[in-house]
Amino acid sequence: MTVADHLTLNELWRRVKKAKDPIEKHRFLAVYHAKRGLTAKEIAKITLSSIRWVQETVRRYNREGPEGLRDKRHQNPGQKPKLTPEEQRRVLEALQGPPPDGGLWTGPKLRDWVERELGKKLSLYPIYRLLHEMGFALRVPRPRHAKADGEAQEAFKKNLSAQVQEARAEGRKVRLLAYDEHRLGLKPVYRRVWARRGERPLAVGAHRYRWFYVCTFVEPETGESLSLLVDGIDTEVMGWVLRELRAWLGEGEEAWVVLDRAGWHVSGRVEVPEGVRLVFLPPYSPELQPVERVWPLVNEAVANRYFRDLEEMMEAVAERCRVLAQDPETLRRHTLFHWWPRTKELA
């Protein structure tokens, strides 16, 4: 192949080495080998390209010079927007309120609104792309109790950090843990799973009303955890759970346990062992409980499965808890809220 003398062989090699764009580097490499005298077939084998692509790349270089080998797609302004800025503004205004039928906005509803109000018939793809470009994403609202006190929740976060900082400054080995219980039973737990198109997965189940509780402590900063399974929960069981926590702690360590205000937590009949302090969340504030995010992970052991009896189910859940305890990074990733006090911040 004939290669024009736009650049010397050494200059072509320098372009190959310096090119940051992979497309541009690939093209200069093909021209470099052509300049060396290799055939199109040999170059195609080296660059893992077709012979036709090699020939067209050399022709482009001969015709346009080094500039012809640049990836000009970066300069492509892209497809012209389907809606003008004014039309996009109207769409944004419409999304601030309910749709015409008074329900919830969906892609098809917005598509119909655009056709009716703006006179433009679009498919769903540009509608979803428009929503994305406007900064919208499909989200499930975070539940919040009507009686929740936002100011009390913010004060709790600040006070917890200050109290832990003060205790650690005194040289105390304070471990900050979160605690909660999760009820599971023979009533089936169904979860979405990947399946081939056209096939509906089946999950055998039978509603039976026997239960047990998973009691879990998690240290969000490290992901370390302790899980206990009990067949019921009351103040006596709560005292036993706290004693098990005390035995789990290292020498000289004390546990501050963040938990909700369930009756068997706040009762004066609960025997709290030495070295364990209970820190109660503000009322109606389950969203501040990190362990709430552990339960979907625990449920994976029982989802879409049928168990003959409660004992078989408890064995599966116990094994799942052991697996999670051996994977602290997963628990840390799920429970370390942005506001949770960290040792480095408190040092």
Side-chain angles (χ1 to χ4, degrees):
M1 288 183 295
T2 302
V3 180
D5 294 326
H6 297 299
L7 296 173
T8 66
L9 188 64
N10 288 337
E11 289 173 333
L12 283 170
W13 181 244
R14 283 197 293 270
R15 290 294 185 97
V16 173
K17 299 293 286 183
K18 291 183 178 180
K20 296 181 179 180
D21 185 276
I23 300 298
E24 182 179 338
K25 180 187 288 289
H26 197 207
R27 290 171 178 171
F28 271 110
L29 183 62
V31 174
Y32 167 77
H33 287 306
K35 188 78 170 177
R36 289 177 57 210
L38 274 62
T39 65
K41 185 177 181 179
E42 292 171 329
I43 298 171
K45 186 176 182 180
I46 294 173
T47 60
L48 302 178
S49 306
S50 67
I51 295 176
R52 184 176 178 181
W53 177 86
V54 174
Q55 293 170 338
E56 176 56 34
T57 298
V58 174
R59 280 197 292 267
R60 181 185 297 180
Y61 175 76
N62 292 341
R63 185 173 60 251
E64 303 177 27
E67 287 296 317
L69 301 185
R70 296 188 181 281
D71 187 2
K72 298 180 181 179
R73 291 177 298 179
H74 298 303
Q75 303 171 5
N76 190 338
Q79 187 179 15
K80 183 179 179 181
K82 299 289 186 181
L83 301 180
T84 65
E86 174 60 23
E87 290 170 335
Q88 292 183 26
R89 184 190 63 78
R90 290 183 59 187
V91 170
L92 187 59
E93 288 181 354
L95 290 173
Q96 306 309 309
D101 65 1
L104 299 173
W105 281 109
T106 63
K109 288 182 183 180
L110 184 57
R111 176 194 58 192
D112 295 342
W113 184 91
V114 169
E115 182 177 359
R116 183 175 59 255
E117 299 295 331
L118 304 180
K120 292 189 174 181
K121 192 170 184 178
L122 305 178
S123 66
L124 281 176
Y125 176 73
I127 290 294
Y128 289 130
R129 187 174 62 188
L130 175 65
L131 288 169
H132 178 74
E133 291 173 351
M134 287 182 169
F136 286 89
L138 200 59
R139 293 285 186 269
V140 176
R142 177 184 294 171
R144 185 172 186 176
H145 199 284
K147 295 182 179 179
D149 187 337
E151 293 184 0
Q153 292 179 349
E154 292 303 315
F156 170 82
K157 298 175 186 178
K158 295 179 180 178
N159 292 338
L160 178 64
S161 180
Q163 292 171 8
V164 174
Q165 180 180 14
E166 182 179 352
R168 288 176 175 168
E170 297 172 356
R172 295 157 62 185
K173 298 179 181 179
V174 173
R175 297 186 65 176
L176 186 61
L177 300 106
Y179 169 80
D180 200 13
E181 300 101 2
H182 180 48
R183 190 175 75 166
L184 283 171
L186 295 176
K187 183 177 179 180
V189 175
Y190 298 117
R191 292 275 290 272
R192 289 191 300 173
V193 296
W194 288 101
R196 292 184 179 276
R197 290 189 179 91
E199 296 181 4
R200 181 73 180 270
L202 298 177
V204 177
H207 286 247
R208 292 161 293 167
Y209 298 94
R210 292 186 61 201
W211 312 95
F212 67 95
Y213 289 82
V214 184
C215 304
T216 296
F217 296 90
V218 175
E219 187 175 33
E221 188 174 11
T222 64
E224 294 186 28
S225 65
L226 170 66
S227 293
L228 305 165
L229 273 58
V230 297
D231 57 9
I233 192 74
D234 56 20
T235 55
E236 184 178 349
V237 173
M238 186 65 195
W240 173 81
V241 168
L242 294 176
R243 289 193 295 274
E244 289 295 308
L245 170 66
R246 175 66 264 184
W248 178 75
L249 295 174
E251 183 178 355
E253 293 179 340
E254 57 181 291
W256 288 20
V257 182
V258 176
L259 69 173
D260 60 34
R261 296 171 181 262
W264 56 89
H265 295 167
V266 300
S267 173
R269 295 194 296 272
V270 176
E271 296 180 3
V272 182
E274 185 179 355
V276 176
R277 174 183 174 182
L278 304 185
V279 182
F280 295 108
L281 289 165
Y284 310 107
S285 302
E287 65 271 24
L288 298 185
Q289 175 53 265
V291 184
E292 290 284 349
R293 299 190 63 184
V294 175
W295 304 139
L297 300 176
V298 173
N299 286 349
E300 290 181 13
V302 300
N304 306 330
R305 292 181 60 184
Y306 173 77
F307 296 93
R308 294 188 304 272
D309 50 43
L310 201 64
E311 288 69 27
E312 183 184 15
M313 187 180 197
M314 291 178 72
E315 288 179 6
V317 173
E319 177 60 26
R320 179 60 178 165
C321 290
R322 282 191 288 268
V323 170
L324 291 174
Q326 295 169 5
D327 185 12
E329 183 55 36
T330 293
L331 292 179
R332 183 179 186 275
R333 188 167 62 248
H334 280 76
T335 61
L336 187 57
F337 292 171
H338 70 278
W339 56 267
W340 192 265
R342 293 161 170 78
T343 302
K344 291 182 179 180
E345 294 177 354
L346 299 171

